[in-house]
Amino acid sequence: MKIIGVEKLGGPEALTVMDVPEPHAGPGEARIRVKAAAVNPTDTVLRSGGQGRGQLKAPAIPGMDAAGIVDEADDTGRWQVGDRVMAIALPLGIHRGAYAEHLVVPADSLAHIPDGTSFAEASTLPMNGLTAVQTLEKLNLQPGQSLAVTGAAGTLGGYLVQLAKQAGLVVVADAAEKDRALVAGLGPDYLVGRGDDAAQHIREFFPDGVDALADAAVMNEKAVPAVKDGGGFATFRWWQEDPGRGITVHPVAVRDEYHSGEKLDALRRLVEDGTLTLRVADQLPADDAAEAHRRLEAGGVRGRLVLLF
């Protein structure tokens, strides 16, 4: 089968089209004929050697989001050949990443794609959607409490804003001037300018600080001042500093959601009822993965670039 793999870690040019033996589904597993794989910043980190050194099997296969059609299923009856599904993949796991024609996944990791969506659109949901769900679970805010979201114009940030509003939270989101209309359309209660002084602007609306902050922009110590004493701070790149003031840092790791098919199915329903918005920036043939990585690393992409197999 065709994969987009990495033999030697490096720049986008390290991504190479390769042919490897097909994997097959075992007990408790299903195999997806991948139609679309979203391109995430995590993929570029893995490709360049910023993640998983010493754990990667050669060739390394990036990709944490897949959508496609079940073409092998175990005998539990949970999934049938022909089902249109989506799932997360774990590039550091036994089945590796989603940049592949076939992807084997645990049967309990799958969900049907939302009605009325394409494979490309559906592929933007699993990893970032489940990351947002885990974030809100860890922060454990109650309706009426406040949440700040940095990087709100991004895919993860957008899902966080929309899920937080659906949960009854008061949301303040950051946005660059060019993204204000996009972020405002997600429904936050307050908008602040994006940048190193975002925390100061958040404090203008919340003088004592917000109850929690989800740092999708990876601002770390620059974002912490927005949080009230005793509040919560969700980090997505394993920031390990002690912010003081009784603030609890919550590391978020989507790999812990590898078997969270039920949560993914709940996200499917939220797409279908209009709570969540799926955004595809562009679709490229899988062979053009290097170009997709170049575009993502150049910045300014809104929505996900998606590889088509």
Side-chain angles (χ1 to χ4, degrees), residues 232-243:
F233 185 88
T235 176
F236 305 98
R237 292 287 178 88
W238 302 100
W239 186 59
Q240 297 180 343
E241 300 297 323
D242 179 2

Side-chain angles (χ1 to χ4, degrees), residues 161-182:
V161 171
Q162 292 182 310
L163 289 175
K165 287 302 300 176
Q166 191 257 353
L169 304 182
V170 177
V171 179
V172 53
D174 71 348
E177 189 60 36
K178 65 179 180 178
D179 295 323
R180 285 186 70 86
L182 184 158

Side-chain angles (χ1 to χ4, degrees), residues 27-118:
E29 297 177 332
R31 190 178 77 171
I32 305 171
R33 171 59 177 92
V34 176
K35 296 294 186 179
V39 178
N40 289 282
T42 303
D43 304 348
T44 67
V45 172
L46 180 140
R47 182 216 72 225
S48 63
Q51 179 188 44
R53 281 184 179 273
Q55 302 177 55
L56 292 171
K57 301 176 183 178
I61 306 176
M64 294 192 70
D65 282 305
I69 300 171
V70 172
D71 69 355
E72 286 183 4
D74 70 3
D75 59 3
T76 64
R78 181 179 303 196
W79 298 103
Q80 305 297 321
V81 171
D83 284 343
R84 294 159 57 88
V85 297
M86 56 186 174
I88 64 169
L90 298 182
L92 300 183
I94 186 172
H95 297 306
R96 294 185 277 182
Y99 291 10
E101 284 185 316
H102 294 95
L103 175 68
V104 174
V105 297
D108 60 1
S109 72
L110 288 166
H112 290 286
I113 70 172
D115 288 344
T117 65
S118 67

